[in-house]
Amino acid sequence: AQSVTQPDIHITVSEGASLELRCNYSYGATPYLFWYVQSPGQGLQLLLKYFSGDTLVQGIKGFEAEFKRSQSSFNLRKPSVHWSDAAEYFCAVGDWNTGNQFYFGTGTSLTVIP
Amino acid sequence: GAGVSQSPSNKVTEKGKDVELRCDPISGHTALYWYRQSLGQGLEFLIYFQGNSAPDKSGLPSDRFSAERTGGSVSTLTIQRTQQEDSAVYLCASSLAVVETQYFGPGTRLLVL
């Protein structure tokens, strides 16, 4: 069965520290992947996406993610976290072959402490 | 430009009543998706439309849920005989094509008493 796993339900980091949010998927041989962020009271905003090509993708707000096919992972990173990054982060996966479904992880809640 | 809009933003209803949720996608977007986000949960895929047709209805949780899209634009998600477990935020997204970035609306927060 297809699945997207975000193993960390909640992460707390200090402002200025580095961040890595994990995402693993079990979905198809030709995935396309996204990271979305949902701030309190806000809608989902796309941070970055991977369709093909370079496996290291850059997104908005200084985020990047690396697609590792061998590990079925698409982890999100940021070298220095800002207080405004506190939000819920969702990894999502679709498949080029089917294209018709799109699976989200359960999310990782990020708290940033001063 | 205008993004995805959803109405109402909040809906409180009594158990057993029917509700209709509306989604206005971004103009020109052929694909439209409905999701449900329950408290503390991720997003649950419900249904998607390519144009006016819905090739995949497998995500609808029960036969009380239905959706339609007319004119390749506006979509409505209808929940009949609402139950308390239907309480959630219902999110709509649209994309230029099926395998493209989805842009999300602000959601409709449904509370069934």
Side-chain angles (χ1 to χ4, degrees):
Chain A
Q2 298 91 345
S3 68
V4 180
T5 303
Q6 292 181 247
D8 304 305
I9 296 172
H10 186 230
I11 284 182
T12 300
V13 299
S14 298
E15 190 168 15
S18 63
L19 173 71
E20 182 169 29
L21 303 183
R22 294 182 290 166
C23 174
N24 293 92
Y25 66 91
S26 170
Y27 184 46
T30 52
Y32 56 101
L33 305 113
F34 300 81
W35 275 99
Y36 283 88
V37 61
Q38 187 176 37
S39 299
Q42 302 294 314
L44 282 154
Q45 182 183 21
L46 178 71
L47 282 176
L48 47 77
K49 62 186 178 185
Y50 170 79
F51 280 7
S52 65
D54 192 347
T55 56
L56 183 64
V57 293
Q58 303 297 319
I60 63 171
K61 304 184 180 184
F63 285 92
E64 67 176 26
E66 186 170 14
F67 171 54
K68 293 185 177 179
R69 184 184 298 278
S70 62
Q71 298 177 19
S72 297
S73 70
F74 189 56
N75 294 349
L76 182 71
R77 300 193 293 252
K78 186 168 184 177
S80 178
V81 170
H82 188 263
W83 64 267
S84 61
D85 293 326
E88 189 88 17
Y89 291 81
F90 293 94
C91 178
V93 180
D95 186 84
W96 284 103
N97 286 334
T98 61
N100 58 2
Q101 288 210 18
F102 199 61
Y103 293 91
F104 279 79
T106 52
T108 297
S109 176
L110 175 65
T111 297
V112 180
I113 56 178
Chain B
V4 178
S5 61
Q6 293 185 244
S7 60
S9 53
N10 292 280
K11 177 70 178 180
V12 180
T13 190
E14 295 178 347
K15 178 182 173 181
K17 301 278 190 180
D18 297 351
V19 295
E20 195 170 274
L21 313 180
R22 176 187 168 105
C23 172
D24 269 287
I26 294 172
S27 178
H29 280 197
T30 62
L32 185 148
Y33 300 76
W34 283 100
Y35 297 88
R36 179 169 68 177
Q37 185 177 25
S38 302
L39 188 63
Q41 301 293 314
L43 276 72
E44 175 189 3
F45 169 81
L46 298 179
I47 190 170
Y48 97 101
F49 289 88
Q50 177 58 42
N52 289 336
S53 65
D56 185 354
K57 300 181 180 179
S58 62
L60 293 175
S62 78
D63 58 8
R64 296 185 295 105
F65 287 72
S66 63
E68 65 175 16
R69 188 181 187 193
T70 54
S73 182
V74 172
S75 176
T76 54
L77 176 69
T78 302
I79 309 173
Q80 295 178 309
R81 306 180 302 281
T82 52
Q83 304 295 312
Q84 289 180 333
E85 59 264 28
D86 298 334
S87 296
V89 177
Y90 289 81
L91 291 165
C92 175
S94 71
S95 62
L96 276 171
V98 172
V99 183
E100 282 288 348
T101 301
Q102 296 180 24
Y103 295 88
F104 283 80
T108 292
R109 189 175 302 274
L110 174 66
L111 178 61
V112 182
L113 300 176

